[in-house]
Amino acid sequence: MLIDFFYTMRAAKLPVSVKEFLTLLEALQAGVVGPKSDDAWSLDDFYHLGRTVLVKDEKHYDKYDRAFAAYFKGVEMVADLTREIPQDWLKKLLERELSPEEKAAIEAMGWDELMETLKKRLEEQKERHEGGNKWIGTGGTSPFGHGGYNPAGVRIGGPGRNKSAVKVWEQRAYRDYDDTQELGTRNIKVALRRLRKFAREGGELELDLPDTIRSTAANAGYLDIKMIPERHNNVKVLLLMDVGGTMDEHVQRVEELFSAVKSEFKHLEFYYFHNCVYDFMWKNNRRRFAEKFPTWDIIRKYNKDYKLIFVGDATMSPYEILQPGGSVEYMNEEPGAEWLQRLTHAFPRFAWINPEPPGVWQYRQSISIIQQLTGNRMYPLTLKGLEDAMRLLSK
């Protein structure tokens, strides 16, 4: 059984060795995890043991999670199959499919009205609710809950579905982009090289082969080695990447871009944000609230000669850009638009790379707002889009 589990991990491109797999088997034989008091084995224990033994870098946690889920196909318990299974395991809670006419009939509330109504619902509601258009629950057309439809709502628990929530009331675990992702094509690197500028600096570290050949020939065949300073790419890049939420759909392409950027530019600094930049960013998604980097400090730390590149789909509620408190994770004192303007003023050479196809840009209000705030310096994550962006940044 676990042989197939090992091959599933390898198929997911996890760097798992045979030695680590044998260590996992030894841990199971030693009883590190085992039957609970009710004689049922919990997959949670096996999940954590496997992750501890097989995964050596937290950037691979997401790959492990997806491979683990694919192998066990959603099974929660491996033993005691005679016990009663809760109904929540047998069906998805009432995800209604509304017609375009029904969706058009639902009117989005304003920000103040939305938050005030949510406060009243929390005070009035005393039990779980499914469907409907008022209470906090699953399905339905209420602006509160999850699994239903409302053009501007507050998602409370559960997975998002229609990308229209204004605030998300749950702790969401984002993952760092994997900078070791193998590129599906080398065209991204080729496009990025338009920005590279080489300069000779430092000591004599590089062999000048043409001059060595000429000098040796002129010296009657006696070897005369000539050295020149090594060439360095002196372009400095500040990369700010949107992560989580709707960006999960673009993980592979952004990882390819991230890998290419890290290999092409020696002077690279990167940070993460979610949806829109606010007063802090982070470098590690699992410690994003414990290890914050104030945006003001980032602005002061790096000089104007850094090229600023945003990577994000700019898909969010307009509140997140224009309103104080618009962040889906905390109450930001200043709107994201203010921070965007501060960053683009501090780093005049900037561009925004959007993985969403240009055909949908005109239909999303938030993308139009970001385009205006960045002076229409938004480019698609395509070969031509990258070439155009690099050409702009190299001026």
Side-chain angles (χ1 to χ4, degrees):
M1 172 180 169
L2 291 182
I3 294 293
D4 292 336
F5 177 72
F6 171 72
Y7 283 118
T8 300
M9 297 292 114
R10 295 292 293 267
K13 296 185 178 180
L14 275 164
V16 180
S17 67
V18 174
K19 181 179 180 181
E20 291 165 344
F21 177 65
L22 293 176
T23 301
L24 175 63
L25 296 180
E26 291 175 0
L28 291 173
Q29 291 176 348
V32 175
V33 297
K36 299 295 184 181
S37 58
D38 57 2
D39 294 329
W41 275 61
S42 171
L43 277 186
D44 290 342
D45 291 343
F46 180 71
Y47 163 84
H48 289 293
L49 174 63
R51 195 178 74 172
T52 301
V53 174
L54 302 177
V55 183
K56 300 303 182 183
D57 193 322
E58 64 182 17
K59 69 185 177 185
H60 297 306
Y61 279 174
D62 189 69
K63 289 182 180 178
Y64 175 81
D65 290 349
R66 286 183 287 174
F68 191 95
Y71 179 75
F72 286 102
K73 296 181 173 63
V75 176
E76 296 292 339
M77 302 293 288
V78 194
D80 195 12
L81 299 177
T82 60
R83 69 171 55 187
E84 182 180 355
I85 302 177
Q87 288 187 354
D88 287 351
W89 290 14
L90 301 178
K91 66 176 182 178
K92 191 169 184 179
L93 296 177
L94 208 64
E95 283 205 356
R96 291 178 52 190
E97 292 295 337
L98 303 179
S99 67
E101 292 76 14
E102 289 174 316
K103 292 182 179 181
I106 301 171
E107 296 183 358
M109 295 181 180
W111 175 258
D112 295 334
E113 183 183 359
L114 184 69
M115 301 310 293
E116 184 63 29
T117 304
L118 172 59
K119 180 180 178 182
K120 292 180 181 179
R121 293 288 186 275
L122 291 172
E123 294 173 351
E124 297 172 3
Q125 186 167 339
K126 304 301 181 183
E127 60 185 10
R128 178 176 175 175
H129 186 75
E130 298 179 1
N133 60 7
K134 177 180 179 181
W135 298 112
I136 302 169
T138 58
T141 59
S142 168
F144 313 112
H146 72 87
Y149 178 84
N150 192 287
V154 177
R155 174 154 62 88
I156 302 177
R161 189 162 69 96
N162 288 294
K163 305 179 182 178
S164 60
V166 176
K167 277 193 175 291
V168 179
W169 280 28
E170 62 180 359
Q171 183 80 4
R172 295 159 65 189
Y174 309 140
R175 70 183 183 92
D176 295 345
Y177 289 128
D178 186 354
D179 57 5
T180 64
Q181 175 72 26
E182 289 295 329
L183 298 180
T185 174
R186 65 185 296 271
N187 289 338
I188 295 179
K189 286 187 176 183
V190 173
L192 293 175
R193 285 173 187 169
R194 292 182 178 272
L195 183 58
R196 299 198 305 176
K197 294 181 180 178
F198 287 98
R200 299 213 179 265
E201 54 188 30
E204 293 183 346
L205 301 175
E206 188 176 81
L207 174 66
D208 186 352
L209 183 58
D211 194 16
T212 299
I213 294 174
R214 286 193 298 268
S215 299
T216 302
N219 201 24
Y222 287 97
L223 183 62
D224 187 4
I225 297 177
K226 299 295 183 181
M227 304 292 291
I228 56 175
E230 184 180 9
R231 297 199 309 165
H232 294 280
N233 181 5
N234 62 355
V235 172
K236 302 176 182 178
V237 175
L238 177 59
L239 184 65
L240 307 182
M241 296 177 288
D242 183 8
V243 65
T246 55
M247 284 296 292
D248 289 346
E249 302 173 10
H250 311 291
V251 167
Q252 181 178 356
R253 296 172 65 206
V254 175
E255 285 184 339
E256 291 178 354
L257 175 64
F258 189 27
S259 296
V261 170
K262 290 199 73 172
S263 65
E264 292 298 312
F265 301 110
K266 180 179 180 180
H267 305 288
L268 171 68
E269 300 291 340
F270 70 91
Y271 296 88
Y272 293 107
F273 65 92
H274 179 55
N275 284 358
C276 190
V277 291
Y278 298 110
D279 54 299
F280 71 91
M281 288 178 270
W282 57 92
K283 280 183 170 289
N284 187 311
N285 281 294
R286 294 188 177 272
R287 296 193 292 270
R288 67 183 187 277
F289 292 112
E291 298 179 0
K292 302 177 182 178
F293 293 86
T295 306
W296 270 126
D297 289 354
I298 295 172
I299 292 175
R300 296 187 183 105
K301 181 177 181 179
Y302 304 109
N303 298 325
K304 289 182 178 292
D305 56 349
Y306 271 82
K307 318 286 188 179
L308 175 61
I309 302 176
F310 298 93
V311 179
D313 60 6
T315 299
M316 67 198 90
S317 166
Y319 295 122
E320 298 181 56
I321 307 171
L322 302 175
Q323 294 290 334
S327 169
V328 298
E329 296 192 307
Y330 73 107
M331 297 300 293
N332 53 298
E333 296 183 358
E334 296 180 286
E338 291 289 337
W339 291 105
L340 276 174
Q341 291 179 343
R342 287 167 181 158
L343 283 164
T344 55
H345 177 75
F347 305 100
R349 294 182 177 85
F350 67 89
W352 187 295
I353 306 299
N354 193 331
E356 285 286 342
V360 306
W361 292 4
Q362 60 181 320
Y363 300 108
R364 295 182 183 172
Q365 186 178 0
S366 58
I367 294 182
S368 298
I369 295 172
I370 295 294
Q371 281 184 298
Q372 294 176 17
L373 291 172
T374 57
N376 290 317
R377 297 187 182 187
M378 182 178 289
Y379 301 89
L381 185 48
T382 62
L383 178 58
K384 184 179 186 305
L386 286 174
E387 289 178 344
D388 293 342
M390 297 307 105
R391 188 176 295 110
L392 171 70
L393 293 174
S394 62
K395 292 181 179 179

